[in-house]
Amino acid sequence: MSENKRMNSIARRVSTSFVLRLLLIMLLINAVLITNFLAWTAYSMEKTALGSAWQADLTRAFDYDGSLPVRTRLERMNYTFSLPGGAKHTVAAGQILLTMIRAMNVVIIAEIVIAVLQYRGFKRRTLLLLSPLQKIAQTAQALSETQFDEQKFHSLEDAIQNISVLSPSARLSTGHSELIGLENAVNNLISRMHDAYRQQTRFVSDASHELRTPIAVIKGYAELLSRWGKDDPKVMEESVNAMLAEANNMQRLVEQLLFLARGDAGRTAFAPKKVDLRELLLSAVDEYKLIGTQHVFRIRAEEPVFTFGDEAMLKQALRILADNAIKYSPEGSVITLRAGYSPQGMAILSVQDNGTGISAEDMPHLFERFYRSDPARTRGGTGLGLAIAKWITERHEGHIDVFSSLDLGTRFTLNLPAYQEEDSKVSSDAAATAYNPPSF
Ligand code: ADP
């Protein structure tokens, strides 16, 4: 039997039993109504005939001629009653009975119509209720029909074991159509693992490459020193200074690498609180003035600008942008620093210089790790600064905008979520995980 037929048959059976019960109740109500009606009619007739002499134990009987056809017999039926030992009273009851029977016919037809309508409605509702059960039953049926094929699982195990993790074209394929969903999921996982692996190896090889130059320079000067420097104070001084500068570069590079590696591993402490970007900007400028930079800082920050973030990290991002502005613009030129709110309601911090600008070819790669434009290579950067600034901004659920024009200048803008009152309720284990900025 098909599933639909089975559901129909169940619904039919349930509805029939419901309607039969309904009819039985109606029948009982009819019987009670008829009995009451007859008793009340008989009582009224007796009371009319006997008046105050009426008593409950009257002698009562129906008189009719048994030889007549049923209908005429009913029509002519009489109801007789008498007081104990008294005269008989006779009342024509046939017409009353016939009227009552007619009325009952109408009532019974109405009840049958109601029962049929109820049957249909109940059956429809039962089918509706059964439909989810039907789906479950079908699934259970399908599951019970699915054969657990051990062979297929063995071939899946073998295929997984034979995948070469290092091969970029590694794919899981058993040839069994039932396992395609599982194979796709595993293949997606392999692709993601490969991407992560590729990024990791590229990062390590770029990092080694970057470290090779300062090591070669230090080695070169050390050789120079050992050959000539001992007796020549000029060579000695030049070598020591160069070695010191390269050692500083290396230290900066290693610290930046560590920051990114920790960030990638989710091990960078993050202690957010309410931070005033205007204050941050002013204190950074004070620090630059202390170092004695040759650039002119112009500040555009009229009012406090609040965000919810890690102050030390945000300051580090600001320093990266300001260092770049200093590095890529001529001495004595103006660097404008702004703090404010964007029309979109973001808290913004921007650094604008009148320097070299960035070419359209360099623009898409600026935030890549180790990326440096050609002219920048000579200025001693590591190519990690903007990658770190981007990481910090994204950690704060913000983004960086760049606007640049060759030979005119560049503006970097950090867009951060503005501080909301609810932010203060965000629990932060600030004390335990306060961020300790590295010195780069
Ligand atoms: P770097 O240590 O080389 O400065 P960054 O990641 O900070 O590394 O910057 C990447 C590259 O972006 C730089 O090499 C430079 O080409 C370009 N750049 C960044 N800031 C500026 C700027 N203010 N003006 C011009 N070019 C810039």
Side-chain angles (χ1 to χ4, degrees):
M1 204 194 304
S2 81
E3 275 306 315
N4 279 347
K5 275 191 185 158
R6 201 159 60 198
M7 287 297 129
N8 258 320
S9 140
I10 294 173
R12 215 171 20 245
R13 266 182 285 151
V14 175
S15 313
T16 310
S17 107
F18 165 74
V19 165
L20 282 179
R21 259 183 294 153
L22 187 71
L23 279 174
L24 189 71
I25 291 168
M26 287 177 177
L27 218 65
L28 281 172
I29 293 172
N30 289 350
V32 171
L33 282 177
I34 291 170
T35 319
N36 278 338
F37 175 75
L38 287 178
W40 179 79
T41 314
Y43 170 75
S44 331
M45 288 191 295
E46 288 164 5
K47 223 23 195 165
T48 317
L50 300 173
S52 58
W54 184 88
Q55 56 183 70
D57 59 342
L58 292 173
T59 310
R60 299 176 177 99
F62 282 104
D63 276 349
Y64 57 87
D65 184 350
S67 62
L68 294 171
V70 178
R71 193 180 161 80
T72 327
R73 194 191 308 166
L74 269 176
E75 265 173 6
R76 299 195 187 158
M77 185 186 272
N78 287 325
Y79 175 58
T80 59
F81 53 91
S82 57
L83 286 163
K88 274 190 178 180
H89 294 268
T90 303
V91 186
Q95 280 308 321
I96 298 172
L97 274 176
L98 274 180
T99 312
M100 191 199 73
I101 289 168
R102 274 189 214 113
M104 280 319 293
N105 283 344
V106 175
V107 170
I108 288 169
I109 291 171
E111 285 173 351
I112 290 172
V113 172
I114 290 173
V116 171
L117 292 178
Q118 283 294 321
Y119 173 82
R120 287 214 200 143
F122 196 81
K123 192 174 159 203
R124 207 182 50 240
R125 283 198 299 277
T126 313
L127 277 173
L128 224 69
L129 281 174
L130 284 176
S131 69
L133 290 179
Q134 185 184 11
K135 280 191 194 121
I136 294 173
Q138 281 167 350
T139 316
Q141 178 78 16
L143 277 176
S144 71
E145 280 164 9
T146 309
Q147 300 257 317
F148 176 73
D149 190 341
E150 221 174 305
Q151 187 55 39
K152 281 178 194 159
F153 281 88
H154 280 314
S155 66
L156 183 66
E157 270 172 28
D158 291 343
I160 290 176
Q161 280 199 348
N162 290 335
I163 289 177
S164 157
V165 189
L166 298 184
S167 157
S169 57
R171 279 277 163 281
L172 177 67
S173 170
T174 58
H176 297 300
S177 56
E178 300 93 323
L179 299 176
I180 274 193
L182 188 60
E183 284 175 9
N184 286 343
V186 174
N187 285 333
N188 281 341
L189 178 70
I190 296 173
S191 302
R192 273 180 281 141
M193 277 164 59
H194 271 299
D195 284 348
Y197 178 72
R198 233 189 344 261
Q199 272 177 19
Q200 197 65 24
T201 35
R202 205 183 114 191
F203 188 59
V204 171
S205 98
D206 286 348
S208 324
H209 183 78
E210 292 300 322
L211 283 169
R212 202 182 288 157
T213 316
I215 290 173
V217 174
I218 289 175
K219 204 170 150 221
Y221 276 107
E223 279 168 6
L224 187 72
L225 258 182
S226 78
R227 255 184 252 149
W228 323 100
K230 277 174 258 159
D231 312 315
D232 186 339
K234 214 171 142 243
V235 173
M236 168 92 113
E237 196 194 339
E238 189 196 326
S239 305
V240 170
N241 285 343
M243 282 160 79
L244 211 61
E246 286 306 326
N248 283 337
N249 280 348
M250 254 162 73
Q251 189 185 10
R252 217 170 119 233
L253 179 65
V254 168
E255 267 158 7
Q256 287 183 323
L257 283 172
L258 260 176
F259 179 92
L260 285 170
R262 283 211 193 98
D264 289 348
R267 283 195 293 117
T268 308
F270 183 67
K273 61 175 180 147
K274 188 177 180 181
V275 178
D276 182 356
L277 296 180
R278 180 171 174 266
E279 282 297 320
L280 197 82
L281 195 151
L282 293 174
S283 78
V285 171
D286 284 346
E287 283 166 22
Y288 278 109
K289 282 186 183 151
L290 222 63
I291 311 167
T293 173
Q294 301 302 311
H295 289 76
V296 179
F297 283 105
R298 188 188 293 154
I299 296 161
R300 295 275 177 270
E302 281 77 37
E303 47 176 15
V305 178
F306 293 111
T307 186
F308 187 66
D310 186 303
E311 192 168 2
M313 264 193 209
L314 290 173
K315 193 159 189 182
Q316 192 178 344
L318 174 62
R319 272 204 209 109
I320 290 171
L321 301 184
D323 282 351
N324 278 349
I326 291 172
K327 210 177 341 170
Y328 300 110
S329 65
E331 278 186 3
S333 66
V334 175
I335 294 175
T336 311
L337 296 134
R338 286 190 185 83
Y341 290 103
S342 71
Q344 292 77 28
M346 300 287 274
I348 58 168
L349 197 57
S350 76
V351 180
Q352 182 175 334
D353 62 57
N354 298 315
T356 58
I358 300 165
S359 72
E361 300 86 71
D362 289 329
M363 205 58 121
H365 307 287
L366 285 187
F367 296 96
E368 286 172 17
R369 292 176 185 187
F370 297 110
Y371 186 81
R372 280 171 297 178
S373 65
D374 263 345
R377 288 181 188 278
T378 50
R379 301 185 193 220
T382 59
L384 289 175
L386 286 180
I388 291 173
K390 179 172 179 263
W391 188 94
I392 291 174
T393 316
E394 286 176 355
R395 181 71 183 81
H396 286 79
E397 288 165 18
H399 63 272
I400 305 185
D401 291 332
V402 194
F403 179 77
S404 185
S405 179
L406 263 187
D407 298 327
L408 278 179
T410 305
R411 183 175 66 224
F412 281 92
T413 309
L414 302 185
N415 293 264
L416 301 159
Y419 177 80
Q420 314 278 327
E421 275 312 313
E422 307 90 74
D423 289 339
S424 59
K425 294 179 202 111
V426 176
S427 78
S428 94
D429 27 22
T433 59
Y435 172 68
N436 196 6
S439 54
F440 53 81

